[in-house]
Amino acid sequence: LNVFLNAWQLSATERKSLRANTRGACNLWCYAPGFHDGDRTSPDAMRELTGFRLVPVSSVKALATPTELGKQLGLQASLGVDKAITPLFAAADASPAETLATYPDGSPAVALRKTTTGWSMFVGVPGLTSELLRVAARKGGVHLYTQTDCNVYANGPIIALHAAQDGAITLDTGHRCAVHDALTGDLVGDGP
């Protein structure tokens, strides 16, 4: 999974390099990817980079509401900001089967497309949610240790969780193994 938060100004050489080095992954493109090509704006560069025809939208809030498909994939809450932002882009050629969330005017604010080189996800609103990152991670084949919001540190045989709220956290080690408390050595579970 590659997350591009601010790839707003890229040359043709940089775009070509990104495409070559991210083959086979899920690439998450935020806000205005490839919008500037040198000293000019370029819708063609945006399409070349993301695989979507991105068009400006105006007079709408930069707030995205999940579609039924988005909800099926795990998006429950709206994302973005409840105010207008300029520029703001929509994935004009995203089909309903690719649209995970829409702007208030119904245009695609979050879209996910399978390409010949992997997955491409466009997120037009500023800000990402953990729900959205989980969708992208699953498409990219990233192992998720938990479905609960918390900090996860995993390095070889050590997995550390730091909870963000009270309550139980279900851990998926990703493989069969004994799970021991690192401080006491006590057996606390069996993976995965």
Side-chain angles (χ1 to χ4, degrees), residues 151-168:
N151 295 310
V152 177
Y153 305 91
N155 185 1
I158 304 294
I159 301 170
L161 304 177
H162 181 90
Q165 66 273 333
D166 290 339

Side-chain angles (χ1 to χ4, degrees), residues 44-138:
D44 291 335
M46 295 174 87
R47 183 179 203 143
E48 174 189 338
L49 193 60
T50 68
F52 289 101
R53 185 171 64 85
L54 302 178
V55 298
V57 292
S58 58
S59 303
V60 298
K61 293 180 178 180
L63 189 64
T65 303
T67 62
E68 285 307 312
L69 174 62
K71 290 176 185 175
Q72 289 171 14
L73 293 176
L75 301 180
Q76 300 304 313
S78 294
L79 61 149
V81 294
D82 194 15
K83 66 178 186 176
I85 293 178
T86 303
L88 191 63
F89 297 93
D93 62 344
S95 71
E98 297 173 320
T99 303
L100 306 186
T102 57
Y103 291 116
D105 69 355
S107 60
V110 178
L112 177 66
R113 176 173 286 162
K114 178 71 171 154
T115 70
T116 58
T117 61
W119 289 93
S120 184
M121 180 183 275
F122 167 70
V123 180
V125 296
L128 301 174
T129 64
S130 55
E131 293 174 345
L132 185 73
L133 289 170
R134 279 190 200 96
V135 171
R138 283 187 207 103

Side-chain angles (χ1 to χ4, degrees), residues 143 145 156 159 172-178 190-192:
H143 174 71
Y145 286 90
I159 301 170
D172 178 355
T173 62
H175 61 279
R176 188 142 183 79
C177 63
D190 289 312

